[in-house]
Amino acid sequence: GAVVSQHPSRVICKSGTSVKIECRSLDFQATTMFWYRQFPKQSLMLMATSNEGSKATYEQGVEKDKFLINHASLTLSTLTVTSAHPEDSSFYICSADLQGYGSNQPQHFGDGTRLSIL
Amino acid sequence: TQLLEQSPQFLSIQEGENLTVYCNSSSVFSSLQWYRQEPGEGPVLLVTVVTGGEVKKLKRLTFQFGDARKDSSLHITAAQPGDTGLYLCAGMGTSYGKLTFGQGTILTVHP
């Protein structure tokens, strides 16, 4: 089955640090990837849609200068949390879909990155 | 904006009991997916339903998609402690590839 790899799985760093999270599709090409944020015991909140070769589309209320997304290849999207502060601490999850492989294909998720800002 | 109302939010039951989780919307979805998520991990796909009225079974789990493709349910028969986790429904709407997630159901099955 489709596999999405996310790295790192956990980051602990000081306030003001910028943190980059990688999302890779391992056995398929993903022209579109999605970045979510999840608070404890809550559902996933879509932050942005990452499009290969073009600018990401951000959801309302998500600061694009704060959360930089780069989708430079068909298998890699990165999310950079710039100048992270404690309120940015959260579980960040990426996903990729197989829409290019047929209609109604599901999204497959990475294992998430636990970001803790001290 | 499409919304997906998932209920109940919390469910705590004894091993062997049955349960049903519901997802309802006023919007039509082209497909609906159910995921299960363990703490510290990403959601894992359980099933995708596409056709109105469709019923899919996965061992003790039964998934149903409403005739109008606006609602779905997940029924678990004879729940086991291993079923404990966060269950998420997610609908695929008109925006290409974007999923609308329900609020999630935290299921705890006590031995």
Side-chain angles (χ1 to χ4, degrees):
Chain A
V3 177
V4 175
S5 174
Q6 196 170 333
H7 178 80
S9 58
R10 187 174 181 105
V11 180
I12 302 173
C13 57
K14 294 180 179 180
S15 183
T17 306
S18 292
V19 179
K20 180 185 282 188
I21 303 170
E22 293 186 348
C23 182
R24 294 180 185 274
S25 57
L26 294 187
D27 52 358
F28 65 101
Q29 294 181 334
T31 54
T32 305
M33 292 184 177
F34 303 89
W35 287 96
Y36 296 85
R37 185 172 179 175
Q38 185 178 32
F39 292 105
K41 297 187 177 181
Q42 293 188 23
S43 189
L44 279 68
M45 290 190 334
L46 180 65
M47 298 175 65
T49 302
S50 172
N51 304 297
E52 188 269 335
S54 64
K55 291 182 179 180
T57 305
Y58 290 81
E59 295 300 301
Q60 193 171 10
V62 178
E63 299 177 60
K64 61 181 181 180
D65 295 330
K66 174 75 172 177
F67 300 99
L68 300 178
I69 291 173
N70 185 281
H71 195 153
S73 78
L74 285 170
T75 59
L76 174 64
S77 175
T78 60
L79 168 68
T80 301
V81 184
T82 61
S83 187
H85 292 287
E87 58 267 28
D88 298 322
S89 298
S90 191
F91 194 53
Y92 293 87
I93 309 175
C94 71
S95 73
D97 69 16
L98 301 176
Q99 288 295 329
Y101 296 81
S103 61
N104 292 316
Q105 293 289 334
Q107 286 186 18
H108 293 269
F109 288 82
D111 276 339
T113 297
R114 172 71 59 194
L115 176 61
S116 300
I117 307 299
L118 306 177
Chain B
T1 303
Q2 294 181 304
L3 295 175
L4 199 51
E5 296 289 334
Q6 184 172 346
S7 63
Q9 188 176 358
F10 299 96
L11 203 50
S12 180
I13 61 172
Q14 293 296 126
E15 183 176 2
E17 292 184 10
N18 302 331
L19 66 110
T20 303
V21 179
Y22 300 93
C23 277
N24 296 288
S25 177
S26 58
S27 303
V28 176
F29 293 102
S30 59
S31 67
L32 197 136
Q33 297 157 28
W34 285 91
Y35 294 87
R36 178 166 169 260
Q37 186 181 20
E38 303 261 11
E41 298 180 8
V44 174
L45 179 70
L46 296 174
V47 80
T48 299
V49 285
V50 178
T51 307
E54 182 176 5
V55 177
K56 282 191 174 179
K57 291 193 175 184
L58 190 66
K59 296 183 180 179
R60 293 177 293 101
L61 279 61
T62 302
F63 304 86
Q64 191 161 10
F65 202 13
D67 291 341
R69 291 185 288 135
K70 294 181 179 181
D71 55 270
S72 181
S73 64
L74 157 62
H75 182 80
I76 300 179
T77 304
Q80 299 176 2
D83 295 327
T84 293
L86 172 65
Y87 289 82
L88 297 159
C89 63
M92 183 77 73
T94 53
S95 295
Y96 184 83
K98 281 180 67 171
L99 286 178
T100 298
F101 274 88
Q103 296 93 332
T105 297
I106 297 176
L107 172 64
T108 304
V109 183
H110 301 280

